[in-house]
Amino acid sequence: QHDSAAVHLDSIAHPARLPEDSRALYGLLRTIVQNRQGKGVRSDSLIRGSYEYYRDASRAGQTSDEALLRRYAQSCYYMALFYKACDSIKQCEELFNQAAKYSERCEDWHTCYLAHTLLGQMNSLGNPENAIQQSLKALDFYRKINNDVSNEVLILGKIAAAYMVSFEADSALAYYRAAYELAEQNHLMESQNYLCICMADIY
């Protein structure tokens, strides 16, 4: 319920005056909300401070505090989205890898499957075999929580696309069909239309 979250964040009159730990959490939550509202992460003015705080506080992921590790993994993921928007591929991939590694360690499966999904997408042309493996990992992690069927449809589509780049048309078609059937069951019309185009492209 990101709109409700935004209302609570808006009620904080002077975020810059918050203590350092609260300011870091504010920056992370505000970035998450803006991204889920479809605004993306086009500026690092909020997330960079949060990322640096959690990196230092967690000793770059070496902490035993699971809550702190979770926030570090999330800040890596959203910092990676900023670099992705800037086409800074090396920094982006490195941070997605950090997000995947540490979110798995603290069992933040949502962040984990998102990071693997985007790693697969980034590798789809340069290293299609790795893209397939990353996308399959994303599906495995997704199925630990099954928290958003539209994300499951997305992941199935990414797996299919990776197989398509590898010229494995039968596997690609099987995953596109699975994605389509799931989208149809859940009345995701936009996804159904897109997947029809993808299947037509294979044929």
Side-chain angles (χ1 to χ4, degrees), residues 59-86:
R59 303 187 307 280
Q62 302 311 304
T63 182
S64 59
D65 184 329
E66 286 200 358
L68 190 58
L69 189 60
R70 178 188 180 95
R71 289 173 184 168
Y72 173 58
Q74 290 174 333
S75 68
C76 286
Y77 176 79
Y78 287 97
M79 194 71 206
L81 288 184
F82 165 72
Y83 281 121
K84 186 173 185 289
C86 299

Side-chain angles (χ1 to χ4, degrees), residues 10 27 29 36 63 71 78 80 136:
D10 290 343
L29 293 175
R36 293 190 183 177
T63 182
R71 289 173 184 168
Y78 287 97
L136 288 170

